[in-house]
Amino acid sequence: AQRVTQPEKLLSVFKGAPVELKCNYSYSGSPELFWYVQYSRQRLQLLLRHISRESIKGFTADLNKGETSFHLKKPFAQEEDSAMYYCALRVQAGTALIFGKGTTLSVSS
Amino acid sequence: GAGVSQSPRYKVAKRGQDVALRCDPISGHVSLFWYQQALGQGPEFLTYFQNEAQLDKSGLPSDRFFAERPEGSVSTLKIQRTQQEDSAVYLCASSLVMGQMAGKLFFGSGTQLSVL
């Protein structure tokens, strides 16, 4: 079965430090990968998707099929990046997203 | 414009009671998804509609859970004879199926269900 693993429940960094939120998936085909974010008292929202190959709020993520990973990175963390981050997988257009358990990112000054 | 709207925001139910949770998707969004999110966990898929057709209900945990979307817009998730393990946040999301934004899920704020 398809699965998304986010090994870290909590990641604490200082402002200005680099951030890497890990995501691994299990699926033998070509999936679509996403990162969703939930800021305090806000609803879950899309941060970025691998097919767009974009940088949003300074975050990037590269799909590595060899390692089945889609880690989220930012070179210099900001306090406003503090939130819950979920990695998600979709195996086919029109099907549901499969989410990981999430990683809480805490950025302090 | 209005986003995905869910009601009620909070629901407290006694064990054994039936509950109904409502989701009003973004106008024009063909796809609608229900997820269950237990405390400290990621959202778990329950069921998916495309217009009024329920295309996948493989995530519904038992036959006490039932979802409908009779006119292809508003959807209701019904839980019969609620149990304590049903306590969770129930999230609804909608999306387009065509165009650049196809597949991007827009989530509601969720309904937090507490079963006592």
Side-chain angles (χ1 to χ4, degrees), chain A residues 3-22:
Chain A
R3 190 170 62 247
V4 175
T5 302
Q6 293 180 250
E8 303 138 330
K9 207 166 177 63
L10 171 66
L11 184 62
S12 295
V13 302
F14 288 109
K15 178 181 169 183
V19 169
E20 183 179 54
L21 298 168
K22 291 184 167 38

Side-chain angles (χ1 to χ4, degrees), chain B residues 51-68:
Chain B
N51 294 307
E52 68 278 5
Q54 189 173 19
L55 298 187
D56 187 349
K57 53 181 182 179
S58 62
L60 295 176
S62 77
D63 58 8
R64 296 186 295 104
F65 286 70
F66 171 76
E68 60 183 5

Side-chain angles (χ1 to χ4, degrees), chain A residues 64-78:
Chain A
N64 185 324
K65 291 186 178 180
E67 295 182 358
T68 60
S69 68
F70 188 57
H71 303 327
L72 183 69
K73 300 177 184 179
K74 184 168 181 176
F76 307 103
Q78 302 299 314

Side-chain angles (χ1 to χ4, degrees), chain A residues 38-55:
Chain A
Q38 188 166 26
Y39 300 102
S40 179
R41 290 185 290 280
Q42 293 187 28
R43 56 187 69 187
L44 197 56
Q45 59 187 284
L46 178 66
L47 180 62
L48 55 79
R49 53 201 302 185
H50 91 272
I51 59 173
S52 303
R53 302 190 66 80
E54 58 201 343
S55 174

Side-chain angles (χ1 to χ4, degrees), chain A residues 36 43 86 90 94 97 101, chain B residues 4 35 37 41 48 107 109:
Chain A
Y36 277 76
R43 56 187 69 187
Y86 295 96
R90 180 165 60 210
L97 291 183
K101 294 186 183 225
Chain B
V4 177
Y35 284 85
Q37 186 172 20
Q41 304 294 315
Y48 159 54
F107 280 86
S109 297

